Amino acid sequence: MTAVFLRAPLERFFESPALRNWVTIFLAIVIQALPFLVLGVVLSGAIAALVPPEWLARVIPKNPALAVPMAGLAGVALPGCECGAVPIAGRLVSRGAPAPAALAFLLSAPAINPVVMVATAVAFPGKPAMVVARFGASLATAVIVGFLWTKIGREAWVERARRRVSHGGSRFEMFTETAEHDFLHAGGFLVVGGITAAMLQTIVPRSLLDSVAGSGLLAVATLAVLAVVLAICSEADAFVAAGLFQFSFTSRLVFLVVGPAVDVKLISLQVGTFGRSFALRFAPLTFVVAIGTSLIAGWLLL
Amino acid sequence: MKAEVRSSISLLIGVVTLRVATSGLMLNYVKLGMRPWLLASGAVLCFLGVIGFLRATRAGGDHEHDHPPSKAAWLLILPVLAASLMTPQALGTFAADRQSNVRAEPDADWPPLPEPTNGAVEMGLWEFTDRAFTDKNRSLEGTTVRLIGFVSPAEAGSDASFLLTRFAIQCCAADARALQVEIHGKPGPRAESWVEVTGEWIESESPDEDAFALPALQAKTLVPTKQPKVPYE
């Protein structure tokens, strides 16, 4: 009601082209991400309803040397945007999965699933090494971060996800309540991520890229930061990277490996699901490891 | 946050998603291919919202298992507000002005152009730009083409009348890339308005000098037109 009454005066206020640009990009990010988020929370609800508590802790090998790579490879099975992986990983943790395995899955699922691999192959025709390099570097990132987490990760940081209680009742009740709960929770943080990414895109002109394209390490650093700021879905970032042809293949690989692992949208979702102290450590760690693996993969393969 | 309110939000998002997906609104933001996904997720959200609402009212408003999903859930109202308070629009000149345009090398083998319809070959801006820059067969030479885009002001100091612009998206408006062609010979109407231009490609005399130059077209006719249903290429 209020929206209808306020519309005319507010529309005048909202005439500014920068603001409209911001809103268009913001809505685009939210609309694009929404189906994947819904898919993620539906699966998360299914996990809550069908997987008995502590079952995962029994089934996943205790030895992280086995659990982490297994979980990393399991990422192949979940096609979709990174938005879906966060609620699922959170739910796995609440069901007793060891944190390093869940986090390895969190990182690998958006990056190595078949949809992303096909998209990368299509975007870089004649350069199949790009697909191999992306798969290898992303899986390596997931596994390395998982292993590092066994050393330096503290349970306290994933407490928030651990503590998440499922609602009682029948399986159907648990499924619908969990799915809705996760959607509302993650959705709010997706909005924050979308607003931030849209704002950064509106403020920073793309032409800034041209000045750094040629210069080696600066190009790598720029694309790594761009991947974080742009928050593009992993299905489409291959085409965006293909368009950045003033940059070397290796720096574009960095863009493709960093993007699904850490970006503004993801950080926001992780804060929501795992908590701020988690995100504060996880994001920079992932960022650095992702750059490292993609530089090595680029050096070896591209 | 009470359970009824929460479920109302889910239902609201579901309904808005369905509306965005079934009307043409979604095309301002994402690609047509997203429609089935948006319809499915909208339906799921409506379902969850309705079930949650019924459950909450039946329980009489007192839910011991009430673990609210945190205040963040309120933020979901923002996209709904934004979509309802601001007339939805595709990306325009603001974004186009901030793009970078860098050329690739002319080494591609483009197939010959199709037959003209009504005196000109219909073409998307992507194809025109790409052929202009990369086609070593120079298929555009001497042919009249028809392009559709919106008007963007030309750079200060350039002798073009205006820039014909359209965005190409891969995933959603967030990754949009502006495709621009300099139009010479006909004055440009109001910025942001959509036009259909026919004309011939102006080949650059010194293609190597300016890596950022845009392809150019000498306009023969210029007709205002409406924004196409799918604004992005």
Side-chain angles (χ1 to χ4, degrees):
Chain A
M1 269 304 208
T2 337
V4 170
F5 281 130
L6 289 177
R7 190 183 182 136
L10 279 175
E11 256 186 32
R12 269 187 303 251
F13 170 64
F14 290 139
E15 287 292 281
S16 144
L19 190 67
R20 309 200 77 150
N21 193 63
W22 182 348
V23 170
T24 300
I25 296 180
F26 161 60
L27 287 175
I29 292 177
V30 170
I31 293 175
Q32 179 69 27
L34 197 85
F36 299 106
L37 188 64
V38 171
L39 177 67
V41 301
V42 163
L43 286 175
S44 163
I47 291 174
L50 301 172
V51 175
E54 311 312 326
W55 179 84
L56 280 171
R58 273 188 284 127
V59 153
I60 293 180
K62 285 277 176 288
N63 184 356
L66 289 176
V68 167
M70 242 178 66
L73 272 176
V76 165
L78 184 73
C81 196
E82 54 254 35
C83 313
V86 178
I88 294 176
R91 189 52 57 183
L92 289 171
V93 166
S94 80
R95 274 286 180 261
L103 296 177
F105 177 79
L106 175 84
L107 288 177
S108 69
I112 66 172
N113 66 72
V115 176
V116 173
M117 290 296 109
V118 168
T120 311
V122 169
F124 290 92
K127 194 96 185 165
M130 205 63 179
V131 182
V132 177
R134 182 178 195 173
F135 184 88
S138 292
L139 183 58
T141 304
V143 169
I144 292 176
V145 170
F147 278 139
L148 285 176
W149 199 263
T150 60
K151 297 277 175 287
I152 67 169
R154 286 195 252 144
E155 267 306 297
W157 298 335
V158 293
E159 246 328 284
R160 183 169 171 162
R162 217 39 111 192
R163 267 190 288 118
R164 276 161 51 165
V165 182
S166 305
H167 309 77
S170 73
R171 282 223 271 250
F172 179 73
E173 258 179 34
M174 217 188 300
F175 169 69
T176 51
E177 286 196 19
T178 308
E180 189 184 23
H181 181 290
D182 282 357
F183 169 73
L184 290 171
H185 189 77
F189 286 95
L190 171 67
V191 167
V192 173
I195 291 179
T196 315
M199 177 177 69
L200 289 165
Q201 268 215 42
T202 302
I203 293 180
V204 178
R206 289 274 182 94
S207 42
L208 204 62
L209 291 179
D210 299 328
S211 40
V212 293
S215 39
L217 275 182
L218 190 55
V220 167
T222 308
L223 282 193
V225 172
L226 190 71
V228 174
V229 160
L230 277 191
I232 301 178
C233 263
S234 47
E235 278 87 14
D237 57 10
F239 298 100
V240 177
L244 294 166
F245 43 69
Q246 62 267 52
F247 288 88
S248 70
F249 279 109
T250 298
S251 41
R252 285 189 271 174
L253 179 68
V254 169
F255 178 82
L256 292 179
V257 174
V258 169
V262 48
D263 66 31
V264 171
K265 212 174 40 180
L266 266 178
I267 294 177
S268 185
L269 282 170
Q270 285 164 6
V271 167
T273 306
F274 293 97
R276 212 176 308 165
S277 48
F278 171 83
L280 228 72
R281 278 132 180 131
F282 191 72
L285 172 68
T286 311
F287 185 69
V288 168
V289 173
I291 294 183
T293 53
S294 39
L295 282 178
I296 295 177
W299 176 69
L300 285 175
L301 292 166
L302 295 175
Chain B
M1 183 191 285
K2 292 177 59 170
E4 292 96 338
V5 177
R6 288 210 299 274
S7 295
S8 308
I9 295 183
S10 310
L11 184 58
L12 177 67
I13 303 284
V15 167
V16 170
T17 305
L18 285 177
R19 161 126 173 82
V20 164
T22 49
S23 70
L25 287 177
M26 60 171 275
L27 296 170
N28 285 315
Y29 307 106
V30 297
K31 301 183 88 151
L32 194 55
M34 283 299 287
R35 178 166 283 169
W37 295 99
L38 286 171
L39 289 174
S41 38
V44 169
L45 290 175
C46 286
F47 174 73
L48 291 177
V50 167
I51 297 237
F53 194 86
L54 290 176
R55 198 174 283 146
T57 47
R58 228 182 294 143
D62 179 41
H63 226 162
E64 324 110 49
H65 296 301
D66 216 24
H67 297 281
S70 95
K71 306 271 190 316
W74 282 113
L75 289 171
L76 280 170
I77 304 266
L78 282 180
V80 177
L81 271 184
S84 56
L85 285 180
M86 303 187 54
T87 38
Q89 71 172 150
L91 292 173
T93 55
F94 181 86
D97 288 341
R98 313 159 67 66
Q99 292 282 317
S100 71
N101 300 290
V102 180
R103 296 207 309 234
E105 288 305 301
D107 64 352
D109 232 332
W110 279 84
L113 291 170
E115 285 304 306
T117 47
N118 290 338
V121 178
E122 305 256 352
M123 197 177 279
L125 280 182
W126 184 294
E127 190 181 344
F128 183 82
T129 317
D130 239 11
R131 277 187 191 259
F133 285 151
T134 68
D135 189 4
K136 55 182 195 232
N137 301 333
R138 309 216 335 223
S139 45
L140 287 176
E141 212 175 4
T143 315
T144 307
V145 296
R146 180 177 297 120
L147 305 172
I148 295 185
F150 64 86
V151 174
S152 224
E155 263 162 68
S158 132
D159 51 347
S161 320
F162 65 93
L163 299 177
L164 190 70
T165 309
R166 200 161 177 184
F167 282 98
I169 63 174
Q170 300 291 358
C171 170
C172 61
D175 64 74
R177 217 177 98 189
L179 305 162
Q180 294 180 306
V181 174
E182 278 187 6
I183 303 292
H184 297 253
K186 290 263 177 200
R190 193 175 49 91
E192 306 269 6
S193 60
W194 283 77
V195 293
E196 187 184 274
V197 181
T198 61
E200 271 188 39
W201 176 41
I202 304 174
E203 223 179 309
S204 164
E205 266 128 40
S206 44
D208 300 321
E209 265 179 23
D210 189 357
F212 297 96
L214 295 170
L217 188 86
Q218 184 71 29
K220 283 198 213 150
T221 71
L222 189 152
V223 176
T225 180
K226 285 196 326 180
Q227 173 175 311
K229 271 188 70 165
V230 184
Y232 305 117
E233 280 184 28

